[in-house]
Each structure stands twice: as C-alpha cells, then as structure tokens.
Amino acid sequence: MLELIDQFNVFDAFWTTIKLTLWSALFSLLLGTVVAIMRLSPVGFLRWLGGSYVTLIRNTPLTLIIVFCSIGLWGQFGIEPASRDSPTFIVDLNFRLAVIGLSVYHAAFVCEALRSGVNTIPVGQAEASRSLGLTFGQGLRHVILPQAFRGAITPLGNTLIALTKNTTVAVAIGVAEAAYALRNMIEFRPDVMLLNFLLIAIGFVILTLPTGLATSWLASRLAVKR
Amino acid sequence: MSTQQVLFDIPGPRARVRHRVLAVLTLALFVAVAVWLLIQLRAGGQLDANKWMPFLQWRTWTTYLIPGIGGTLLAALIAILIASPLALGLAMLRMSDVAPVRWVASVFVEFFRAVPVLIMMIFTYFWLSQQEWSVDRWNPLIGVVTGLVLYNASVLCEVIRNGVASLPSGQREAGLSIGLSTVQVRRSILIPQALTAMMPSLVSQLVVIVKDTALGSIILYYDLLTRSQQLSSAFSNVVPAYIVAAVIYILINYSISKVAETLESRQRRKRRATGGQTTDGAGPTGVAGPAVDPLVEHNTKL
C-alpha cells in the first residue's frame, strides 16, 4: 500500500483536492453571500437576478459547468486566468478554471444555506433594528448577517463536505486530483483494483469526517442562545 | 423570519428613487456583460446562423439530443428504482434492535455518503471492463447506476430515518401497547407514515440523480452531456451545444422540482384538512410539521 502511495503520488493528488476545496470554498462563500444579499434586498430587480441565478445553477449538472469553463470560458470567451509564460501554464489554467466552475456552482448552495440561516432569526430582531432607524445595509451588517452565519453553520458545513467530494469532477478537465490519481492507479496497477479504490475512498472519508465533526461542534458552540 | 418584507421599511419617495437608480445601474452592468459576451461569441463565429441551424433540423434531435435525454433519464430511473427499496432496507437495518446489524448498516451508509459518486463510478466501470463475463456495451451504464444507487440509497436511508424520528412518540407507544413487536411497529406504523411524508423529498432527490448522471460522461456513458459533446464536434458549435444542453437539463430538473413542490403543498393541505388539534403542525395523522428538516432537505440537493 505504501508502495502504491509512493508510486502514484497519492498525497500530491489529495493536496490538490484540498487546495481546490479551500479556494472554491472561499470564492463560493463570497459569491454566495453577495447572491444571498441580492435575494434579501429591497430592490426588485436584484431579488429577481439572485433568484434566477440560484434556480439556473442549481438545476445544471456540475460536470457541464466545469467542462464549459474549459471549453467555453477559456476556449471561446478567451478568459485566461493563468500566465502563458509560467512553466506550469496548463496545470494552473485547468486548476483555476475548475475553481471558477466549482465556486459558481456552490455559491448557489451557499446562498440557500444563508437564507435558511436568516430564517432562524426571530422577526423581532429585524423589527427592532428597523425601529432603531438602521437602514437595510446597517441592519444586515450589524443584526441579520452575523446571526444568519451562526445559524447557517450546519448547512454551510454540509455544503463544504459536498464541495470536497465534488472537486473530483475537475478530472473532467484534467486537474490531477484524487479521481485522476485513481484512474492512473487503475490503469497501471489493475492487479490491485480494490486496494486502489479503498485507498482513495478512505482518503475522502478522512477529509470529510473532521469537517462534519467540526461543523456540529461549531454549530452547537456558536448557536445563538434564545 | 419567512417574509422578507420585515428586513426593510416600506420605501418612501427617496428610497424608491434610490432603489430605482440601483436597479438601473445593475441592469446596465448586466447588459454590458451580456453585450461583451455576445461580441466575443460573434468574434468566435459562434453566433453564425449555421452554428444554430442544426437545432432546427429534426435529424440533430434524433441522432444526438433525444438519445442523450433518453440515456440520462434511463440511468436516473433505474437508479431511483433500485435505490429507494435499498434505502428502505438500510433504514430498517439501521433502526434494528440488534446492535451488530445496526453497526454494519451504519458503516455502510456513512462510508458511501463520504465517498464521491464519481470515484464509485470510475471504480465500477474499470473493474467491470476487466471481467471476462461483462458485456462492454453495458459497462458504462452499470458503472453510472452503481455509483448513483450506492450514494443515493445511503442519502435516502438518512432521509427516511429523519422522517421516522420526527414522528410523535405516541405513535410508537400506542403500537407497543396494543401488543405489536418493535419490528411490527416499525414496519406497519412508523415507516408507512414516514414514507408518505417523505414523498416530496424522494421526488426532489431525482433532481440530484439526474444531475449526477452527467458524471457518466467521464466514463463514456452516452448521456445528454456526452451526446452534446459529440454534437458540438460534429458542427463545431461548442457554445450553442452547451447552452442547449444546459437548457434541457434545467427544464427537466425544474419540472421535477415543481412536481415535488406540488406534492408537498398537497400534503400540507391534507394534513390541515384532517388536523383537529394542531400542535406545531402535527395533526392526528401523526406526521409532524414538515417531516423533513428543511436544512436536511436542502443539503441532500447538492
């Protein structure tokens, strides 16, 4: 088993998986928060835009989005998030395109997680902030969003777990992460097929288990006492 | 806090002007991005009539798109038909009174929930192609279905367990007090109620399954995505092909989620109609409130 790990750089592959997860988590959290604010805002057009974004993205397969990032975004629209002079141009390019696809997809779920977090806040909180004379933006910043994030830890954590698993889709545009490693291992060491699978599968259990535990610990710790 | 009107005051004349300015600005930004995209598309020749004409010809549909939709729906249907009974069995095992049975079922469920569907698909597909008895033509379909079944059975098992847990304890106690065994109570009282309450989330799980069939394109399954890729190389119209594929996926999934919503609202109405004394939405039918925790339901949709 150690020999397998060595031969196919399993640790490197999982490091790429972790990097994909962290970057996409960051960007999808930012984008998702913006979309959530749009969906809560008093401006009708923004609400509509945010709602359409969520409906469209949630109903599209992630594979399609990621493949389109490579073929469409880069191939047709010429969006090139890496420099051609760099010796690792192709690797950087595919990695960053995958991060774009993953972030765009998971932002829709982050938005819905935040909205469910907003739904845990009693009406009185918003009414009180309005009666103090806070504007929509001030109320959001000081009253609604801090509580919404704390109430949304569980769904946000679950989104993070799903994101970790979904990074495997990046194999579709040739990012060398865990699923890519599995395909290589199966191709060159077909004699230990099941071991190959278990190695990668257990890697994902190790990655997702702590996230789940940390989520439930944080959720109970940060829950707003009412 | 369900009505979002509580988040802001009813706008006065000045706020209305401000909102309108904001709307116009974002609209302008939106239009600018759209125009830029169109210019890029035009420069790449993707807007030319001959890139879009294939979609007006019946032959494109019969060679690529309709078989693709068929492949996607076939894999999804087989997967849900196998996964639901399996989930039911797993849920029964996980609630069993025999501890070792419970442990085995729990390990199975937790393992297959943690492993990405794609990993299971890749493994099954390559494992099958090594076996002499396997029919090459069927390997991709079996690979896709196996991955989907293992994952979704585990997820649905948890959905069913949630449903059972949300039933009022009186249901179980009443069953036990009339002399039913715990297995009988579970089988004839708890699970049927949980399942009816579960119908909407079973249907909306279909959306997840339909989306995940697209993973099959990585192991060469002829689903809608693979067929659209073939189409795009035949007519060299990448952007139109992907847009049409996305629209078809969205239409399919949107209608499935509408069906789920209708089922849910019908159930809620029925519950209200039969409910005499309703404490927190729990009628005498015993199905408490929304049987699925909305958070849990949201998270199964990823």
Side-chain angles (χ1 to χ4, degrees), chain B residues 53 98 107 136 140 149 159 175-176 182 198 233 240 294:
Chain B
M53 277 313 272
V98 188
V107 169
D136 284 348
V149 163
V159 173
L176 289 176
T182 47
M198 226 80 301
S233 47

Side-chain angles (χ1 to χ4, degrees), chain A residues 82-94:
Chain A
S83 116
R84 274 179 192 272
D85 309 326
S86 152
T88 52
F89 169 63
I90 297 289
V91 176
D92 288 354
L93 178 71
N94 286 339

Side-chain angles (χ1 to χ4, degrees), chain A residues 191-205:
Chain A
D191 49 318
V192 284
M193 193 76 127
L194 192 64
L195 190 63
N196 290 334
F197 168 70
L198 285 178
L199 203 63
I200 299 293
I202 288 170
F204 273 101
V205 175

Side-chain angles (χ1 to χ4, degrees), chain B residues 74-119:
Chain B
L74 179 73
L77 277 182
I78 299 178
I80 188 100
L81 287 181
I82 303 177
S84 337
L86 190 61
L88 198 59
L90 280 173
M92 290 294 273
L93 292 181
R94 248 200 124 163
M95 291 184 287
S96 157
D97 297 322
V98 188
V101 173
R102 223 160 44 218
W103 296 335
V104 172
S106 304
V107 169
F108 182 92
V109 168
E110 294 304 331
F111 180 75
F112 285 111
R113 273 198 330 160
V115 178
V117 183
L118 182 60
I119 297 285

Side-chain angles (χ1 to χ4, degrees), chain A residues 47 58 119 130 165 190, chain B residues 1 4 9 113 130 211:
Chain A
R47 274 205 303 272
R58 279 219 304 189
N119 280 332
R130 273 166 55 207
K165 297 192 295 169
Chain B
M1 204 154 74
Q4 49 172 259
D9 297 303
R113 273 198 330 160
Q130 260 194 4
K211 281 197 301 181

Side-chain angles (χ1 to χ4, degrees), chain A residues 53-94:
Chain A
Y53 178 85
V54 171
T55 312
L56 292 184
I57 295 291
R58 279 219 304 189
N59 289 320
T60 313
L62 176 62
T63 324
L64 191 147
I65 295 179
I66 289 199
V67 174
F68 186 80
C69 277
S70 176
I71 296 182
L73 214 56
W74 177 64
Q76 291 295 326
F77 297 113
I79 293 174
E80 198 168 89
S83 116
R84 274 179 192 272
D85 309 326
S86 152
T88 52
F89 169 63
I90 297 289
V91 176
D92 288 354
L93 178 71
N94 286 339

Side-chain angles (χ1 to χ4, degrees), chain B residues 12-298:
Chain B
R14 265 205 289 181
R16 269 207 297 274
V17 171
R18 209 166 52 225
H19 293 170
R20 207 161 294 152
V21 170
L22 211 59
V24 168
L25 283 180
T26 25
L27 188 64
L29 192 70
F30 187 67
V31 170
V33 171
V35 166
W36 182 80
L37 288 178
L38 285 176
I39 290 174
Q40 292 289 318
L41 277 184
R42 231 185 113 81
Q46 292 289 321
L47 280 189
D48 299 356
N50 63 347
K51 306 278 184 202
W52 289 88
M53 277 313 272
F55 296 106
L56 294 180
Q57 281 156 4
W58 185 232
R59 269 204 50 203
T60 317
W61 286 83
T62 50
T63 353
Y64 297 106
L65 294 172
I66 292 176
I69 299 173
T72 289
L73 292 182
L74 179 73
L77 277 182
I78 299 178
I80 188 100
L81 287 181
I82 303 177
S84 337
L86 190 61
L88 198 59
L90 280 173
M92 290 294 273
L93 292 181
R94 248 200 124 163
M95 291 184 287
S96 157
D97 297 322
V98 188
V101 173
R102 223 160 44 218
W103 296 335
V104 172
S106 304
V107 169
F108 182 92
V109 168
E110 294 304 331
F111 180 75
F112 285 111
R113 273 198 330 160
V115 178
V117 183
L118 182 60
I119 297 285
M120 300 185 234
M121 285 186 184
I122 291 180
F123 171 70
T124 319
Y125 172 70
F126 284 105
W127 182 80
L128 276 176
S129 23
Q130 260 194 4
Q131 312 303 314
E132 276 166 20
W133 47 264
S134 67
V135 188
D136 284 348
R137 206 155 48 93
W138 295 108
N139 287 348
L141 175 63
I142 300 176
V144 170
V145 169
T146 311
L148 290 176
V149 163
L150 289 176
Y151 175 67
N152 288 290
S154 307
V155 170
L156 287 176
C157 162
E158 293 305 279
V159 173
I160 295 174
R161 273 195 341 135
N162 265 321
V164 170
S166 70
L167 294 176
S169 56
Q171 293 289 317
R172 201 179 106 87
E173 287 155 10
L176 289 176
S177 72
I178 56 169
L180 297 181
S181 71
T182 47
V183 176
Q184 282 173 319
V185 168
R186 219 175 290 132
R187 209 181 43 213
S188 48
I189 297 184
L190 300 181
I191 298 256
Q193 292 185 49
L195 276 187
T196 4
M198 226 80 301
M199 262 325 272
S201 43
L202 279 180
V203 175
S204 53
Q205 191 65 22
L206 249 178
V207 174
V208 185
I209 297 183
V210 167
K211 281 197 301 181
D212 279 350
T213 54
L215 291 170
S217 68
I218 297 172
I219 57 167
L220 308 174
Y221 176 61
Y222 284 122
D223 72 326
L224 179 56
L225 185 56
T226 317
R227 295 285 187 185
S228 312
Q229 279 164 346
Q230 292 177 335
L231 190 156
S232 73
S233 47
F235 299 100
S236 60
N237 56 350
V238 174
V239 176
Y242 275 79
I243 291 178
V244 170
V247 168
I248 296 176
Y249 274 116
I250 291 169
L251 285 180
I252 293 176
N253 289 331
Y254 190 71
S255 25
I256 296 176
S257 38
K258 276 289 155 219
V259 171
E261 257 170 55
T262 318
L263 278 176
E264 205 175 346
S265 68
R266 186 183 299 169
Q267 260 180 24
R268 205 171 302 141
R269 233 180 309 137
K270 215 189 277 170
R271 225 174 292 144
R272 209 176 305 137
T274 47
Q277 34 117 350
T278 44
T279 47
D280 212 2
T285 44
V287 185
V292 198
D293 181 352
L295 297 190
V296 173
E297 212 211 307
H298 155 74

